[in-house]
């Protein structure tokens, strides 16, 4: 085999994989938010969950994307494990559409359509409002071109007697039906899929090997079954650092396919015979028989579809038992101290597409926001604390939370920076800009909380006079208003912004500003009347001013999330 033919084979696979990736990501950009909403809303039972997984996967042309989307929903607590299992089952059916696209290319010479598609795609890419559609058409064109080139290269290899002899001799060693032969092709399919990170590429390779007669159809089908297991390993790898429900959802993906492959291997011969009869393929035919190429590709696509449909129909009745099994295998991790810094939703491996990565970042920012509310609650407890030991313990906790807020800002910003390096839709770019502003303002909230704690600690360490009852009352009232602002901010972070009344946040901010001005004037009067010392009055107003600053940061977070800006007075 010449080096040129080898490079053509590798290059055509690269074109195929890039086309699938580009096509899938473009579809997710066009319908990502709507699909995520559908995935979260239409999983009321196992049957609707399976249908949802099927349609979402058919829409985005990637079972991996659907699985990771589902796992991220479980990770965020938006889907139960049982709902996720049914969605994953449906995703297995949806991904069979890809095999039929390939069978179409192998049955008809449609790779010539790639060139007009490239021309149309480049025009749309330079049109700002149509660039995502252009990316999609480019992906389809690359897919057709890659498959067409792979098909032509396969027949070039067949025309070379030496190459055909080498490949045929290698596969002939495993041609005898038996356990070891089946395990070899099963393991090969798993490893190749894991290395290429694409079950579609394995399907294409299998089709060309079977279509050229270098690989028997039985061996090709076992290779496809191995690819089915290999594609599940990806989700298990990327969820290694996720929470327990997410790891269980990923493991259920593997368990479902292993169960399916087990029964398929047991009934393989009658199953394949039935499919060959349906398609009209004589298993004794060779590549020289007219129609052999088209029929072998259709047999593989039919097997892939029937296998996944039957597997889903069989196992959907046992979702509850699969859930119990994965819960028994994947034990919960030891509960970490909530004050230890760790990102719950963001993991480096889970960043498959920018659209899905934004969803993970949003969940992490919500967690960040909730931490800041808890931190302010500690400051409120610290203010009246008289016990020295409890005071010091609480102050150290606040110090720790301040360090956590700094680390969370850095890590989330780093993650968003990685996401922004990809080709993004305008909507996603706007979301990332808003999220970068949100984490900056949330970190400022943490700084304000720590500044208040330090001010209180400075007063205690200096053994200055206590605040008067009136001062305590005013501080508690100001902190109550600030806490209400934080609560409103977290209501927005946890819910849908369309139903959030932003005026409530602005009204609370106006109350805080007016109360700060009122207390500032009253403080001067009280010092002149010698109700407390100037030093105590200064610390008192520092706390009041810091609360007002914190309220401003809250408004900034709300504005960033809502995409609005308060009008200047």
């Amino acid at each position: 085999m010449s080096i040129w033919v080898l490079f053509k084979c590798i290059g055509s696979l690269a074109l195929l994989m890039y086309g699938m990736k580009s096509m899938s990501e473009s579809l997710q950009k066009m319908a990502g938010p709507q699909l995520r909403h559908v995935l979260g809303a239409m999983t009321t039972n196992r049957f609707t969950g399976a249908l949802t997984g099927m349609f979402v996967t058919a829409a985005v042309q990637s079972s991996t994307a659907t699985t990771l989307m589902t796992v991220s929903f479980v990770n965020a607590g938006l889907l139960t494990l049982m709902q996720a299992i049914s969605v994953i089952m449906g995703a297995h059916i949806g991904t069979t559409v890809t095999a039929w696209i390939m069978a179409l290319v192998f049955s008809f010479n449609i790779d010539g359509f790639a060139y007009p598609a490239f021309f149309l795609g480049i025009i749309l890419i330079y049109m700002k409002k149509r660039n995502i559609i252009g990316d999609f058409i480019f992906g389809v064109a690359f897919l057709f071109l890659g498959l067409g080139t792979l098909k032509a290269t396969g027949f070039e290899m067949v025309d070379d007697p030496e190459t055909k002899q080498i490949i045929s001799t290698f596969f002939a060693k495993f041609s005898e039906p038996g356990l070891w032969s089946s395990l070899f092709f099963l393991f090969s399919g798993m490893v190749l899929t894991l290395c290429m990170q694409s079950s579609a590429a394995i399907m294409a390779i299998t089709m060309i090997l079977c279509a050229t007669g270098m690989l028997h159809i039985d061996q090709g089908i076992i290779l496809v079954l191995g690819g089915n297991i290999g594609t599940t390993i990806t989700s298990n790898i990327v969820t290694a650092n996720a929470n327990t429900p997410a790891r269980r959802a990923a493991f259920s993906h593997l368990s479902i396919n292993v169960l399916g492959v087990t029964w398929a291997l047991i009934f393989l011969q009658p199953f394949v015979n039935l499919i060959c009869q349906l398609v009209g393929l004589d298993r004794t035919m060779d590549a020289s028989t007219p129609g052999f190429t088209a029929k072998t590709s259709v047999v593989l696509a039919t097997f892939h579809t029937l296998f996944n449909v039957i597997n889903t129909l069989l196992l959907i009745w046992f979702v509850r038992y699969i859930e119990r099994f994965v819960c028994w295998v994947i034990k919960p991790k030891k509960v970490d101290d909530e004050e230890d810094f760790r990102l719950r939703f963001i993991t480096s491996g889970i960043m498959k597409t920018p659209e899905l990565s934004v969803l993970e970042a949003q969940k992490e920012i919500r967690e960040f926001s909730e931490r800041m509310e808890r931190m302010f609650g500690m400051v409120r407890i610290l203010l009246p604390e008289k016990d020295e030991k409890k005071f010091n313990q609480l102050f150290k906790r606040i110090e720790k939370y301040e360090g956590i807020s700094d680390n969370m800002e850095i890590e989330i910003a780093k993650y968003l920076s990685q996401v922004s390096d990809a080709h993004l839709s305008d909507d996603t770019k706007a979301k990332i800009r808003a999220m970068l502003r949100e984490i900056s303002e949330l970190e400022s909230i943490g700084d304000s909380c720590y500044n208040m704690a330090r001010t209180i600690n400075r007063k205690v360490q200096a053994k200055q006079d206590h605040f008067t009852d009136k001062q305590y009352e005013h501080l508690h009232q100001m902190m109550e208003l600030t806490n209400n602002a934080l609560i409103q901010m977290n209501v927005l972070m946890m819910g849908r912004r369309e139903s959030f009344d932003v005026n409530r946040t602005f009204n609370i901010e106006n109350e805080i500003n007016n109360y700060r001005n009122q207390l500032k004037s009253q403080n001067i009067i009280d010092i002149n009347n010698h109700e407390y010392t100037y030093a105590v009055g200064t610390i008192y107003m520092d706390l009041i001013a810091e609360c007002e600053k914190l309220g401003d940061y809250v408004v900034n977070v709300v504005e960033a999330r809502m995409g609005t800006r308060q009008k200047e007075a």
Side-chain angles (χ1 to χ4, degrees):
M1 179 172 59
S2 70
I3 193 71
W4 175 246
V5 174
L6 178 63
F7 278 133
K8 278 181 72 177
C9 185
I10 296 171
S12 58
L13 275 174
L15 277 176
L16 166 67
M17 293 169 68
Y18 179 77
M20 286 297 301
K21 182 175 183 292
S22 178
M23 188 172 70
S24 176
E25 288 186 0
S26 301
L27 285 166
Q28 288 178 63
K29 288 174 187 176
M30 287 189 280
Q34 291 80 5
L35 290 176
R36 289 197 292 269
H37 178 64
V38 167
L39 194 60
M42 293 183 62
T43 52
T44 52
N45 60 58
R46 54 192 168 183
F47 300 105
T48 58
L51 286 172
T52 302
M54 181 177 70
F55 287 121
V56 168
T57 305
V60 300
Q61 281 298 291
S62 173
S63 61
T64 301
T66 304
T67 302
L68 290 177
M69 203 186 303
T70 304
V71 168
S72 70
F73 269 61
V74 175
N75 197 41
L78 300 177
L79 282 181
T80 65
L81 179 58
M82 190 177 294
Q83 289 172 321
I85 292 171
S86 64
V87 171
I88 289 168
M89 286 181 177
H92 292 156
I93 299 174
T95 194
T96 61
V97 174
T98 307
W100 284 105
I101 293 173
M102 293 181 180
L104 182 68
V105 175
F106 277 92
S107 300
F108 304 98
N109 293 321
I110 62 172
D111 47 300
F113 288 103
Y115 300 104
F118 279 130
F119 177 70
L120 177 60
I122 198 67
I123 293 173
L124 293 173
I125 283 173
Y126 283 101
M127 295 171 64
K128 189 174 181 180
K129 293 183 179 180
R130 299 285 185 271
N131 60 348
I132 298 176
I133 298 174
D135 287 339
F136 168 73
I137 294 174
F138 246 66
V140 173
F142 276 122
L143 173 64
F144 284 172
L145 185 61
L147 283 171
T149 309
L150 184 64
K151 177 182 173 183
T153 306
F155 283 105
E156 279 186 46
M157 292 165 64
V158 171
D159 291 337
D160 181 0
E162 185 181 348
T163 303
K164 185 178 180 180
Q165 181 65 31
I166 292 171
I167 297 174
S168 299
T169 303
F170 174 76
F171 286 129
K173 295 178 182 179
F174 306 95
S175 61
E176 291 297 323
L179 177 62
W180 295 113
S181 175
S182 299
L183 289 177
F184 170 76
F185 285 104
L186 192 69
F187 184 73
S188 298
M190 289 169 53
V191 172
L192 287 171
T193 304
L194 186 60
C195 293
M196 293 187 177
Q197 292 288 293
S198 172
S199 58
I202 301 305
M203 177 62 79
I205 292 172
T206 306
M207 281 185 176
I208 193 63
L209 287 173
C210 290
T212 54
M214 289 184 284
L215 184 67
H216 194 269
I217 192 69
D218 291 11
Q219 298 167 336
I221 282 174
I222 298 175
L223 203 63
V224 170
L225 288 174
N228 264 32
I229 296 177
T231 195
T232 67
I233 298 174
T234 304
S235 57
N236 282 272
I237 292 173
V238 300
T239 56
N241 295 322
N243 61 20
T244 301
R247 288 186 294 121
R248 285 171 174 170
F251 185 68
S252 71
H253 189 205
L254 174 63
S255 303
I256 290 163
N257 274 10
V258 169
L259 286 169
V261 168
T262 302
W263 71 254
L265 287 175
I266 293 171
F267 300 103
L268 185 65
Q269 290 305 316
F271 193 16
V272 175
N273 286 336
L274 175 64
I275 294 171
C276 288
Q277 286 178 5
L278 289 173
V279 176
L281 175 70
D282 185 350
R283 292 163 77 181
T284 61
M285 292 166 57
D286 58 29
S288 61
T289 307
F292 180 80
T293 300
K295 286 181 179 179
T296 52
S297 59
V298 171
V299 165
L300 287 168
T302 304
F303 173 83
H304 193 225
T305 302
L306 286 179
F307 164 72
N308 284 292
V309 169
I310 294 171
N311 194 42
T312 298
L313 291 176
L314 286 174
L315 297 183
I316 199 166
W317 304 100
F318 301 97
V319 169
R320 189 175 298 278
Y321 298 101
I322 295 172
E323 180 189 34
R324 289 177 185 174
F325 172 70
V326 297
C327 290
W328 176 72
V329 174
I330 306 291
K331 303 294 184 185
K333 291 180 179 179
K334 291 182 179 180
V335 179
D336 294 326
D337 182 359
E338 69 167 8
E339 294 170 26
D340 287 339
F341 169 67
R342 67 186 181 94
L343 297 178
R344 285 186 58 197
F345 306 108
I346 290 175
T347 57
S348 58
I350 211 166
M351 194 176 70
K352 276 291 176 183
T353 67
E355 308 300 317
L356 291 177
S357 302
V358 166
L359 177 66
E360 301 304 317
Q362 284 176 338
K363 300 295 181 297
E364 205 65 69
I365 292 172
R366 187 179 74 182
E367 179 73 11
F368 192 181
S369 179
E370 289 172 351
R371 278 183 185 269
M372 293 304 96
E373 185 181 340
R374 289 200 298 272
M375 186 179 181
F376 183 71
M378 293 177 200
V379 175
R380 295 182 71 186
I381 297 170
L382 187 74
L383 177 63
E385 183 59 63
K386 299 295 191 295
D387 186 287
E388 184 177 351
K389 184 179 179 182
K390 289 182 179 178
F391 182 94
N392 290 333
Q393 287 177 341
L394 191 56
F395 181 71
K396 286 180 181 178
R397 284 184 71 194
I398 294 170
E399 274 188 318
K400 196 168 187 179
Y401 262 67
E402 202 277 331
I404 289 172
S405 72
D406 290 344
N407 287 330
M408 288 193 80
E409 181 193 20
I410 291 168
E411 291 301 318
I412 297 172
K414 188 189 299 182
Y415 183 77
L416 290 173
S417 176
Q418 291 173 354
V419 177
S420 63
D421 288 338
H423 181 56
L424 305 173
S425 64
D426 291 340
D427 182 51
T428 304
K429 288 177 184 176
K431 283 180 183 176
I432 290 177
R433 285 195 299 269
M435 286 191 286
L436 287 170
R437 185 184 174 200
E438 286 169 20
I439 60 174
S440 175
E441 300 297 340
L442 286 170
E443 194 277 333
S444 296
I445 290 174
D447 288 344
S448 279
C449 291
Y450 185 49
N451 288 340
M452 283 187 267
R454 288 170 59 195
T455 301
I456 297 168
N457 184 56
R458 189 171 71 246
K459 176 180 176 297
V460 170
Q461 297 304 322
K463 301 188 183 301
Q464 293 181 346
D465 295 337
H466 293 299
F467 290 131
T468 65
D469 290 341
K470 189 187 293 184
Q471 283 178 310
Y472 273 121
E473 183 183 342
H474 293 159
L475 282 168
H476 287 312
Q477 203 165 342
M478 175 60 93
M479 286 185 172
E480 181 65 25
L481 285 171
T482 309
N483 191 59
N484 288 342
L486 285 166
I487 290 171
Q488 281 298 303
M489 177 185 74
N490 280 320
V491 167
L492 172 61
M493 291 297 189
M494 295 177 68
R496 296 179 65 81
R497 65 180 186 177
E498 293 82 5
S499 58
F500 182 76
D501 184 6
V502 71
N503 289 323
R504 294 188 65 180
T505 296
F506 292 153
N507 290 338
I508 294 172
E509 169 62 10
N510 289 332
E511 285 187 60
I512 291 173
N513 290 341
N514 293 336
Y515 196 48
R516 185 274 315 267
N517 294 337
Q518 177 187 332
L519 294 179
K520 189 175 181 180
S521 301
Q522 186 64 43
N523 179 61
I524 296 171
I525 296 170
D526 290 342
I527 291 174
N528 287 335
N529 292 337
H530 304 291
E531 293 191 20
Y532 44 79
T533 64
Y534 182 83
V536 170
T538 300
I539 292 175
Y540 166 67
M541 283 312 301
D542 283 347
L543 293 173
I544 296 295
E546 205 63 59
C547 281
E548 192 276 330
K549 280 185 188 176
L550 196 154
D552 289 340
Y553 298 139
V554 168
V555 170
N556 292 341
V557 172
V558 171
E559 286 178 347
R561 177 55 64 96
M562 295 292 291
T564 60
R565 187 171 295 278
Q566 187 179 16
K567 293 179 181 178
E568 298 292 339

